[in-house]
Amino acid sequence: MTLAPKARTDLTVAGEGKVEGVVGAGELSDTALGLSLGEPRSPASALAPPPLPPWARFDPLAPGQQPHHLGCSGHLRPGRACGSSTCMASVDKEAAFKEDDSSEFTWEVKANDRYYHLQFKEQAFPRCQRSKYKTNVIRTAKYNLFTFLPLNLCEQFHRMSNLYFLIIIILQGIPEISTLPWFTLFAPLVCLLVIRAARDLVDDIGRHRSDTAINNRPCQILVGRSFFWRKWKDLCVGDVVCLHKDNIVPADMLLLASTEPSSLCYVETADIDGETNLKFRQALAITHHELNNIKKMATFQGKVVCEKPNSRMHTFVGRLEWKGRKYPLDTENILLRGCKIRNTQTCYGLVIYAGFDTKIMMNSGKVHLKRTKLDKLMNKLVMLIFLFMVLVSLALTMGFKYKVKDFKSHHYYLPDSYGSTKTVESVFNFLGFLILLSVMVPMAMFILSEFIYLGNSVFINWDAKMYYEPLDMPAKARSTSLNDHLGQVEYIFSDKTGTLTQNVMTFKKCCIKGRIYGPWGLQDPHQSRPSTPALQEDPYLWNEYSDGKLLFHNQELQDTVRANQDPMVREFWRLLALCHTVMVQEQDNQLLYQAASPDEEALVSAARNFGYVFLSRTQDTITLMELGQVRVYQVLAMMDFNSIRKRMSVLVRNPEGTILLYTKGADTVIFERLSERGELEAATEEALAAFAEQTLRTLCLAYKEVDPDVYEAWNQRHQEASVLLQNRAQALHQVYEEMEQHLQLLGATAIEDRLQDDVPDTIKCLKQGNIKVWVLTGDKQETAVNIGFACQLLSGDMVILEEQDIVHMLDNCWDSNNNLQSGKSWALPHSKMAMVISGDFLDRLIIQPDLDKNQDMSFTGDLDHGDIWKEAGQRQSARQTQRLSGMWRSFLEWLGNTWVLRRCHKPQLQESPEVRRERAFVDLAVRCQAVICCRVTPKQKALIVKLVKRHRHVVTLAIGDGANDVNMIKTADVGVGLAGPEGMQAVQSSDYVLAQFSFLRRLLLVHGRWSYLRVCKFLRYFLYKTLASMMAQIWFAFYNGFTAQPVYEGWFLALFNLLYSTLPVLYIGLFEQDVSAEKSLQMPQLYMAGQKDELFNYGVFFQALFHGTITSLVNFFMTLLACNNIGGAPNLSDYQSFAVILALSSLLSITLQVILIIKYWTILTVLAIFLSLFAYAVVTYTTQSLWLYRISPHTYPFLYADYNVLPQPFALLVVLLNVTTNTMFFLAFQFIYEAVTKPYAKVEIPSEEILVEPISYLQREGRGRRSSYAFSHHEGYANLITQGTSLRKSQDTNKDGLSFWKFWKFSWPYMWERKFQETEPGPTEVPMSLAETPPPPTEESDLAEQPMEVDPLPLESQSSSMEWLPVTLEDQFHPALAEQTSFPPEKQ
């Protein structure tokens, strides 16, 4: 069938009800049109998403925005990954491609022509061009061999401390003002730079190794007329690539063909969106039929014209131009980089985007330089101290000028030439004071801090309680500079799949005929499973098809099933084996199931272990093995899941000829369709409530027998509805509704989405520490909400704000902000709230261009659009969310008033509407106890983290395990990667590596809090001891004529911070503890001290400044007064004696302060203090020795100074008096401070733990959780199955299940005869016996180095489009067997 060029036609394309699109010039084959017309359209397209406020409505003309369905007709189908709930607005493809020179659609890819792409250039730098099409090489590292040194030095000198030290070293090079040789400061600075550079280099080497491993992965590229093994980095745009089962897709590719029927390709996208359910992609019909051998692929010269590379994961618009015709492309034709090929032996693709142009790489973000809050604060304090030093030096220089003038007046006999040098002397004096006071910003503090960070990182690596034995994975600190940030985290952004959950669905319980069957014979749902050796054996050994993986076992239920006497039990398990869209294949004589969701696979596997084994399916039959007996059911109709129906049904005819309808779905929709309500239904509802308490995913099962006459009449209406060109989805929905009535309830199932160990306790403990956990996942909303309840992130007394509620609240907030006239504040309603939003909603809410509030757009638009497709409960819930009471509006006005008032205090900061919109949303979100964001892309995850960081100025932590979490991990202040089954990309981009989410509790509450405590104490004490000793330089200037003469010996100045007082403060930074690890976990409220910056802030800094000043004043002036008022010999009033007494007093005073502030005493404490004092004694004795004095009197002027002074009792008495006075002052200050302030241990429990009465009219019903499986389930493969798209012809279909027929082939003739004689269902594809079917092909080796070259087969000999596959060994040795594969004509 051929369409005229530029003709418009309304088509519904296979899948999710998609749409009345526009087909450009070209030709559609009859096959493609048949698929199109035979596909029922999902009723999801009739639903509109929640309305948006005027400031967040979608602007269809805004560049870079993806259209979404807002009630307009003709909407384009979304990609499979988006789900049917995120239906987008119509996109007129003809209009989109009307102008080829449009900047949006200028990406042209020509197959098998690398030279074509090399011609295109783009502007990179002024007068510099680069290739428009990137290679497939990725580089996530920050440095290379040439850029490491300049870039790293540039980063390092962004720290004000390093720049400050460099200036001081330059000044030290001036001999007139130098106090020490310049190399004495240059060597420590070089040491500091080398330590930090080595740390950055080690981190970057890890990124280089990861990049090398990825770039060197093997793949097969078409070169000439053969496929050769090459590396990923050798791929270019336009190459044709061959992929095999379990291969990872190396680039964004257009699927050309596959070995599956209709060129389907099944992929797993766990590394992209976190979903593990199987998705399918399909090649165009034209490439499926035409490119059926390698020679044709080698001559393929098609050109793809599409949108430029972008980060939109779930959208793609393009076309294929080939042989003068144009074919539309969308997301279902595209294989994204990072997907894994599943259930498909071989597929072929054309590279469209490579390297950093791929969507996953454009979502991965860049490596950011992460700096802690303490590091940023110290940067500011260094500037503050430097400013203080400049002011003090200026003041002292002014004193010097006054002294010079006074000196000249008293000594008039000196020559006048002295006055001519007064200005020069003043400048030198100013610089001399800068050098003298430079020790107030000690370089040793920054050097020691690097060792402290390194030591605390080593302690994390050594923690045996964070070691995960099953994976042999210890915790690992990949970054050594963020340890204190671990003690200040306020928001945790977590992935769901593989992070909170184990990504494993298990059949947990079931209810049949109102009776609950729990594991191991326990019917009480609150009892635990016993642990006895006798029960460790596989209880399903009687079943040769059991997989040995089912953990559920109930002996009573098993005996009932095997007895085969109870028809309800028999129909229960038969329904689970029949009503699904699972695909089956054989591998190593074992059945392998691949399902559209892991829930379905768990249910079918449970039925398999209980003796109801799903063996195979064809287009219109399903074959089961029921307790050893083979039964073939004819499929009359399949009514698939979608987000509106919340149920699935299959209409079958059993071998006896009876027509039966089997239905499974949400309890709400099933109970509404039952024929009667009695004790069975009441007992089942009680069981569902019990399952919901345990946060299990439930499903109700029902069936009925259908009269043949009723079926014939219904089938006629079904056929008529299936071929409608308009309103097909509505018509099919009504037809399905007619059949799915008067059902008989069988029971319910309960599936557990298994959480990782101790996840609920971990989240509860973190919440007690005032840490809020947000879940950002690419999974479906109901699945994420169910996990939220399971891990106790959500609770039953919470008001869950959904998108409609948020829209109303922000609309009222917007009105309040614009109409606010007075500053009155309203009381916040005492309720616990949680927020659940989608990525689509976030896009329309945050990223939209600003629209005028006065535009004619109603914020509270028609919420009932499409109510005909909503259940009664949904319509009632929607109306409840619209009825906002006066108290709720009071909260909205309070939110708006407080926000506007806060902004009114800063009228000069006029925020744009976009910023105000962001701030309003973040203000609402942070008031919720939990936030769950579903269906978000990696870039949206990073956006949410950025919003919280930008508007709340808090420390954030992101944790995930997949490539879709990399951007979020890089954006957060602290990134934690989980080593899981989704690969190591998250680990390679993270700052810390854990094996389990539960280890996060110990990482934060123990190691993080200890690190923050240690670093804060270290900084506070180091600043104190520096000021206590070096402020004496200022006081001494008043007595030496402001000549910048040092009060201490030069070597004491140089070694005081490096050696004499180093070990005690280093001990504090490495080993200090206020409470034990056990107490830290028992009292998570202690963690809030770090969130509030209580241990180190500007207040603590000025306390240290004041404390150090007092200590220096006591030491200096008490020593000065004592030395000036003594008589007799020896006299201690000389300069050197004064310096010795002052130095010893300062050292002992600060050492005693260490003894008083250390709370965790070990033998290392005593050793550190002893070695520090011992080092002072040894070094002082050496530097004041005679032999060094003889070598350099200028460098070692204090000859025997300590030896002459310290033996004097008076000198020791002065030292003792100074130390005692300083200690008494400290103790008095501590006593007064603790008396007037609240004790540190009394910390209030965070508000989210206070139990309050929820707002009833916004409370969601609990039944939503009970049916989370049905609500969250994707549309399956029903349409593909019923049309035969996903199934091979009968001789191909049954190859996968041949070995199973060996066990019952003796009964097959009987079944064949019985099927055709008794039921006569019409032409049906029935599996053949072993004698009539060739054996399955052997698995191809992925490591074959020889190129493949296959001659095309004659067209008449090709039974399918993929007959060019290599023959198997069995075909080569048994050629006669292949001749017996066809049916007789009468059986065909």
Side-chain angles (χ1 to χ4, degrees), residues 1223-1297:
T1223 303
M1224 295 300 295
F1225 172 80
F1226 174 75
L1227 294 177
F1229 178 80
Q1230 285 291 104
F1231 177 78
I1232 296 173
Y1233 178 80
E1234 292 182 0
V1236 298
T1237 58
K1238 185 165 62 175
Y1240 171 74
K1242 295 182 180 179
V1243 183
E1244 294 183 359
I1245 299 177
S1247 60
E1248 53 261 40
E1249 294 301 321
I1250 300 176
L1251 297 179
V1252 293
E1253 183 178 357
I1255 300 177
S1256 58
Y1257 52 81
L1258 280 180
Q1259 184 70 30
R1260 301 295 184 274
E1261 295 110 340
R1263 62 177 176 80
R1265 270 198 293 146
R1266 299 208 314 244
S1267 304
S1268 62
Y1269 168 54
F1271 281 106
S1272 64
H1273 192 74
H1274 269 310
E1275 240 181 311
Y1277 306 138
N1279 294 320
L1280 298 178
I1281 294 171
T1282 54
Q1283 297 171 5
T1285 305
S1286 63
L1287 301 174
R1288 302 180 187 273
K1289 298 182 180 180
S1290 67
Q1291 65 263 28
D1292 296 328
T1293 304
N1294 298 289
K1295 287 180 182 180
D1296 293 337

Side-chain angles (χ1 to χ4, degrees), residues 933-949:
C933 302
C934 316
R935 309 298 298 167
V936 288
T937 64
K939 200 167 187 178
Q940 289 173 329
K941 291 183 178 183
L943 171 65
I944 295 171
V945 177
K946 287 180 182 178
L947 289 178
V948 175
K949 290 175 61 178

Side-chain angles (χ1 to χ4, degrees), residues 130-244:
R130 63 184 178 188
S131 177
K132 176 181 178 181
Y133 298 91
K134 293 182 174 63
T135 64
N136 204 42
V137 178
I138 62 167
R139 296 183 180 91
T140 61
K142 294 170 59 176
Y143 315 110
N144 57 38
L145 184 62
F146 301 102
T147 62
F148 172 73
L149 189 60
L151 287 181
N152 191 262
L153 287 177
C154 181
E155 290 179 357
Q156 297 230 38
F157 281 104
H158 271 78
R159 300 174 186 263
M160 293 304 300
S161 58
N162 292 342
L163 193 60
Y164 167 78
F165 293 141
L166 181 62
I167 295 173
I168 297 300
I169 290 173
I170 294 174
L171 294 178
Q172 283 279 31
I174 304 175
E176 288 81 0
I177 59 175
S178 176
T179 58
L180 284 174
W182 63 271
F183 55 82
T184 58
L185 287 178
F186 182 75
L189 178 60
V190 171
C191 179
L192 178 62
L193 297 178
V194 168
I195 291 174
R196 288 175 172 169
R199 180 191 64 198
D200 295 338
L201 181 62
V202 170
D203 293 342
D204 210 55
I205 288 175
R207 298 188 191 98
H208 275 286
R209 289 176 178 173
S210 175
D211 294 344
T212 302
I214 294 174
N215 290 330
N216 289 332
R217 287 176 178 173
C219 65
Q220 285 182 293
I221 305 176
L222 182 61
V223 180
R225 293 180 176 271
S226 302
F227 282 95
F228 291 90
W229 285 101
R230 294 289 188 266
K231 298 178 179 179
W232 277 23
K233 64 182 180 181
D234 300 325
L235 272 179
C236 293
V237 171
D239 286 349
V240 175
V241 181
C242 174
L243 298 174
H244 303 281

Side-chain angles (χ1 to χ4, degrees), residues 264-497:
L264 288 173
C265 179
Y266 299 94
V267 295
E268 181 184 284
T269 60
D271 237 10
I272 294 179
D273 55 17
E275 294 188 11
T276 56
N277 53 294
L278 214 59
K279 302 179 178 67
F280 70 86
R281 300 291 182 261
Q282 188 171 9
L284 293 175
I286 182 66
T287 59
H288 164 66
H289 289 290
E290 294 290 337
L291 304 180
N292 55 9
N293 60 54
I294 297 178
K295 286 188 177 180
K296 290 185 177 181
M297 286 190 179
T299 59
F300 176 56
Q301 294 295 321
K303 184 170 73 172
V304 174
V305 180
C306 60
E307 56 191 357
K308 286 185 175 181
N310 57 72
S311 61
R312 298 185 289 270
M313 299 290 297
H314 303 311
T315 60
F316 178 82
V317 179
R319 70 183 178 214
L320 172 65
E321 299 177 359
W322 189 28
K323 297 181 179 180
R325 300 188 181 122
K326 299 177 181 179
Y327 307 91
L329 302 174
D330 61 13
T331 53
E332 290 194 359
N333 310 121
I334 303 300
L335 301 176
L336 296 182
R337 178 188 175 110
C339 295
K340 184 173 287 187
I341 306 298
R342 296 291 194 192
N343 241 30
T344 304
Q345 201 65 31
T346 307
C347 66
Y348 299 85
L350 172 67
V351 177
I352 297 178
Y353 306 128
F356 284 104
D357 286 338
T358 59
K359 292 183 179 292
I360 187 64
M361 292 306 299
M362 298 195 75
N363 275 275
S364 62
K366 297 181 179 179
V367 179
H368 303 282
L369 177 63
K370 296 184 179 181
R371 299 180 61 185
T372 65
K373 292 175 69 176
L374 290 179
D375 190 13
K376 296 176 182 177
L377 179 59
M378 284 303 303
N379 215 34
K380 298 176 182 178
L381 291 181
V382 167
M383 299 175 64
L384 186 63
I385 294 174
F386 180 73
L387 181 62
F388 171 75
M389 289 169 46
V390 171
L391 294 177
V392 170
S393 299
L394 283 174
L396 295 177
T397 302
M398 295 300 294
F400 171 76
K401 294 183 66 174
Y402 171 78
K403 279 291 184 181
V404 168
K405 183 178 180 181
D406 182 67
F407 180 82
K408 182 178 179 181
S409 64
H410 286 82
H411 301 278
Y412 56 87
Y413 50 84
L414 290 178
D416 293 339
S417 60
Y418 183 83
S420 62
T421 62
K422 183 173 60 174
T423 302
V424 177
E425 288 293 332
S426 297
V427 173
F428 280 128
N429 203 65
F430 170 75
L431 298 177
F433 275 119
L434 279 181
I435 295 175
L436 198 61
L437 299 177
S438 64
V439 291
M440 296 181 66
V441 184
M443 190 183 303
M445 181 175 71
F446 296 94
I447 297 176
L448 289 180
S449 65
E450 295 298 325
F451 288 102
I452 290 172
Y453 280 117
L454 179 61
N456 283 288
S457 300
V458 171
F459 295 153
I460 293 174
N461 299 342
W462 287 353
D463 193 341
K465 293 188 178 180
M466 292 197 295
Y467 171 74
Y468 190 59
E469 188 174 359
L471 294 179
D472 189 25
M473 176 66 66
K476 182 180 181 181
R478 300 185 71 250
S479 174
T480 59
S481 60
L482 302 175
N483 297 330
D484 55 294
H485 246 173
L486 293 174
Q488 297 181 280
V489 174
E490 288 192 48
Y491 289 86
I492 294 177
F493 300 93
S494 173
D495 183 36
K496 180 189 74 69
T497 307

Side-chain angles (χ1 to χ4, degrees), residues 1008-1026:
R1009 201 181 68 83
W1010 278 353
S1011 296
Y1012 174 72
L1013 169 71
R1014 291 164 180 169
V1015 173
C1016 289
K1017 266 194 169 184
F1018 163 78
L1019 293 175
R1020 197 265 183 208
Y1021 176 73
F1022 212 107
L1023 289 173
Y1024 157 73
K1025 76 182 186 66
T1026 303

Side-chain angles (χ1 to χ4, degrees), residues 651 658-661 703-708 739 742-744:
L651 192 64
T658 305
I659 300 177
L660 297 168
L661 176 72
Y703 84 115
K704 75 172 183 179
E705 185 175 333
V706 180
D707 185 83
M739 178 59 68
H742 308 294
L743 302 175
Q744 180 180 352

